[in-house]
Amino acid sequence: RGPALYLTMVMSIAGALVSAFAVPLNPRDPTTVFIFLSIARFILGVGVGGVYPLAATVAAEGSSSANRGRSVALVFSMQGVGQLLVPLVGMVCLYMFGDGVNTSTKTMLNVKGLSWRLILGLGALPGILLMPFQKGQSSPEPRPDATAAPSMIQALRNRAYWRSILGCAGGWFLFDITFYGNSLFSPAILQDVFHVDTKSSTPVIGNDLQHNLCWQLAILALLGLPGYYVSVCFMDRLG
């Protein structure tokens, strides 16, 4: 798992950093910058998609049966911390450097294109900070009496595993639809909650809560954060 985790971390770091330096692929068509961003974010997504389960697997394998659930839950709880940090980091960058367009909100500077590049590039920071620890980590040596685990192909061919695989994969699939669906549509829902004119979007930063999407998203993330740690406390007791 060590090489796979290292590779996916490198992909996530590279995808985030490359995103920050996005340029139009066609100088005559500025919208081609979105093609560049799509490719960079796809690389980032593959990397994060690998780090996500591998980190939980490493945490589970390095824990005793008494606290294994708590260790895995702590790994997943970082998702809640990340959801809170995203609007806060975005708000700091926008108040410092502006968006280069909106001049109604007071900012320290107003440099076009700098804020969103910093926000995307800072996504590489967690991976960069953890890379030295992961690189120096050695894989545990297998015990002499340990039974070799089946490979993925062997597990898929064995009908005894089908129920568990479908239950786990199906549960995660339904969870991801609701979780990421709520995340994607939060701005639209908050726009209705705060009675913002539907003909215009909520300003990302503004002078009050009603017209400050970053603060709204931060409060929403803060409301959900305690749930992660409630699960950490009761995971091993209640299962």
Side-chain angles (χ1 to χ4, degrees):
R1 303 184 204 282
L5 183 58
Y6 185 80
L7 175 62
T8 52
M9 285 181 69
V10 170
M11 290 181 68
S12 63
I13 293 170
L17 290 177
V18 171
S19 299
F21 296 94
V23 293
L25 297 179
N26 183 355
R28 298 180 180 179
D29 185 4
T31 60
T32 56
V33 71
F34 294 111
I35 300 176
F36 190 115
L37 281 172
S38 297
I39 296 171
R41 303 309 280 183
F42 176 79
I43 295 171
L44 171 66
V46 173
V48 172
V51 171
Y52 190 61
L54 285 171
T57 303
V58 170
E61 291 177 343
S63 306
S64 65
S65 58
N67 61 359
R68 184 169 296 137
R70 184 180 62 184
S71 299
V72 175
L74 276 170
V75 172
F76 282 111
S77 71
M78 291 299 102
Q79 187 179 56
V81 175
Q83 280 194 304
L84 176 60
L85 287 176
V86 166
L88 295 179
V89 170
M91 191 159 46
V92 169
C93 291
L94 287 166
Y95 275 122
M96 288 181 65
F97 305 109
D99 59 6
V101 179
N102 182 19
T103 57
S104 60
T105 302
K106 186 178 180 180
T107 58
M108 293 177 63
L109 300 171
N110 200 16
V111 184
K112 188 175 182 179
L114 181 58
S115 293
W116 68 265
R117 292 181 186 276
L118 278 175
I119 293 168
L120 295 182
L122 285 172
L125 187 59
I128 293 173
L129 294 176
L130 290 173
M131 186 65 75
F133 299 96
Q134 198 280 328
K135 192 174 182 180
Q137 186 181 22
S138 58
S139 300
E141 295 183 2
R143 293 175 298 176
D145 58 341
T147 304
S151 66
M152 184 179 69
I153 299 300
Q154 290 173 332
L156 290 175
R157 287 177 177 174
N158 190 339
R159 294 191 177 187
Y161 293 111
W162 286 7
R163 182 176 179 180
S164 298
I165 292 173
L166 288 174
C168 181
W172 271 111
F173 179 73
L174 294 174
F175 170 78
D176 283 345
I177 289 176
T178 55
F179 182 85
Y180 293 108
N182 284 332
S183 299
L184 288 171
F185 291 107
S186 289
I189 296 171
L190 290 169
Q191 189 175 5
D192 186 63
V193 169
F194 285 93
H195 306 291
V196 178
D197 185 7
T198 55
K199 295 180 181 178
S200 60
S201 58
T202 305
V204 180
I205 55 173
N207 298 319
D208 55 57
L209 180 61
Q210 184 180 7
H211 299 95
N212 193 317
L213 182 60
C214 283
W215 269 125
Q216 295 173 14
L217 292 174
I219 292 172
L220 195 64
L222 196 59
L223 289 172
L225 189 61
Y228 287 95
Y229 296 98
V230 169
S231 69
V232 169
C233 293
F234 295 102
M235 181 68 71
D236 290 309
R237 292 186 233 175
L238 302 179

